[in-house]
Amino acid sequence: NYVSSKNVNSYVFKNKDDLVGFFELIFHPENNETEIAYFGILEEYQNNKLGSYLLSEAIKESLHKKSIERVWLHTCSLDHKNALNNYLARGMKIFKTEVITI
């Protein structure tokens, strides 16, 4: 049911036949927002500005529907060290922070 939902779209980023990265968007029409649910670049392609490019494309695609007013995602300390700076550089803002001890 999840992958066949009309509100879930998955995208892959390739270099010729090689997979570079991907992102998945979940549209929440009831809130006029899009969640970037998954986003990633394979390790061998990191630190080449491809994450910046792919995130820009994810945000553009997130806003593709006219009624979208907000694009959001979750990040954590397990993400790439440049992830948060990449999000901020693309115009995203920190909404909430929390510390969880496991």
Side-chain angles (χ1 to χ4, degrees):
N1 287 338
Y2 178 79
V3 295
S4 63
S5 170
K6 67 179 181 169
N7 292 327
V8 175
N9 293 345
S10 299
Y11 302 82
V12 295
F13 181 31
K14 291 180 133 187
N15 178 20
K16 298 179 183 165
D17 290 331
D18 294 334
L19 178 64
V20 174
F22 77 105
F23 62 89
E24 184 172 280
L25 306 177
I26 303 174
F27 297 99
H28 300 280
E30 67 282 0
N31 297 326
N32 295 328
E33 61 187 32
T34 303
E35 174 185 359
I36 301 176
Y38 297 99
F39 178 89
I41 298 285
L42 292 175
E43 189 173 358
E44 58 267 30
Y45 291 99
Q46 292 177 359
N47 303 312
N48 292 312
K49 305 287 184 199
L50 296 174
S52 301
Y53 169 78
L54 189 60
L55 181 59
S56 294
E57 293 301 308
I59 293 169
K60 281 187 224 174
E61 195 61 37
S62 296
L63 297 168
H64 197 69
K65 297 182 187 239
K66 292 181 182 179
S67 63
I68 297 302
E69 298 173 4
R70 179 175 171 232
V71 177
W72 60 276
L73 55 79
H74 289 276
T75 188
C76 74
S77 60
L78 298 175
D79 287 345
H80 189 274
K81 65 181 179 174
N82 297 327
L84 182 58
N85 288 334
N86 192 11
Y87 303 141
L88 295 172
R90 304 282 151 319
M92 301 186 104
K93 295 180 171 66
I94 297 172
F95 175 76
K96 177 176 135 180
T97 61
E98 60 185 358
V99 175
I100 299 173
T101 304
I102 300 176

